[in-house]
Amino acid sequence: MTTDAEKIEEIGQILETQNRADSFEIVSLALSIKDEEEREFYLLETVYWLIRNETWQKAYGTAQLMSETYEKAEALRSVADYAASAGHLEKAFSVYDEAEKAALTENLAEWQQAELLHRTAQSLRRIGAIHKADEIWRKAVSVAQKGENSNSQNGSDSSSVLAEIAEHFAAEKQIERALEIARNIKNVGKKERALRRISEHSQNIKRVA
């Protein structure tokens, strides 16, 4: 019987190639890994590989076979990004919706949910879906703020995601929006760092103006 280590080694060899003929084999190998964390990791790597090979439909099918994990949400978002870049906007929006749902699965910590939502919103913003992106950012902030009230690690990580979102808006020249998020971060150190970064962005905007 082939061990997980042997399967992973074989997957690694396939990942180094661009041979589309290996598509079925690599998906089968990844699905057969017994360790759940390893399986989801290599399924995500397989999705990335399929996208690089411009077989995004197979990548989408593989993402749907994944368990309800962080990796699944990330895989779906990556498929949607590629579909959008290839001009398949209707399909892309459908898969972004799936990525959003996968991000909110209950077995993820709030900081993970918020981070995935933030990344999905960024993707939507890049393709001009501003209203939908803003809707998801509001959810991301709400989820992260809820996470700040939980155990120390999840709370700290949730504060980090809020700081990341705030800095994103500052970089987009939405200073007031950035400040609104940053001023409410509960972790003092992360709040102060976010406010400093926002101040730097604000100064840069003034210099350019």
Side-chain angles (χ1 to χ4, degrees), residues 22-135:
D22 292 327
S23 297
F24 178 78
E25 183 179 3
I26 191 172
V27 173
S28 297
L29 283 167
L31 282 170
S32 69
I33 294 173
K34 291 183 174 62
D35 181 86
E36 183 178 5
E37 287 188 13
E38 294 276 22
R39 183 173 63 249
E40 297 306 306
F41 173 81
Y42 283 100
L43 281 169
L44 178 58
E45 289 298 308
T46 297
V47 167
Y48 291 153
W49 181 83
L50 290 166
I51 290 171
R52 288 196 300 273
N53 274 319
E54 300 180 351
T55 52
W56 68 269
Q57 294 94 335
K58 288 182 180 178
Y60 175 54
T62 302
Q64 289 184 310
L65 294 172
M66 297 172 73
S67 301
E68 299 302 317
T69 58
Y70 185 100
E71 288 80 6
K72 180 174 185 174
E74 186 64 14
L76 288 167
R77 185 186 64 81
S78 297
V79 170
D81 283 348
Y82 184 85
S85 71
H88 304 288
L89 289 178
E90 186 175 347
K91 185 62 177 178
F93 283 123
S94 174
V95 182
Y96 280 131
D97 283 343
E98 290 184 55
E100 180 187 353
K101 291 184 179 72
L104 292 170
T105 185
E106 291 182 358
N107 62 336
L108 296 180
E110 281 90 356
W111 75 265
Q112 292 177 307
Q113 294 177 337
E115 184 173 72
L116 288 165
L117 290 170
H118 173 47
R119 290 179 179 176
T120 299
Q122 286 178 304
S123 290
L124 286 161
R125 176 68 179 82
R126 280 192 292 270
I127 64 171
I130 298 171
H131 177 74
K132 181 62 177 176
D134 284 345
E135 177 187 317

Side-chain angles (χ1 to χ4, degrees), residues 146-161:
K146 179 183 175 185
E148 284 189 306
N149 295 320
S150 58
N151 68 68
S152 57
Q153 189 57 54
N154 186 31
S156 176
D157 290 339
S158 293
S159 292
S160 293
V161 176

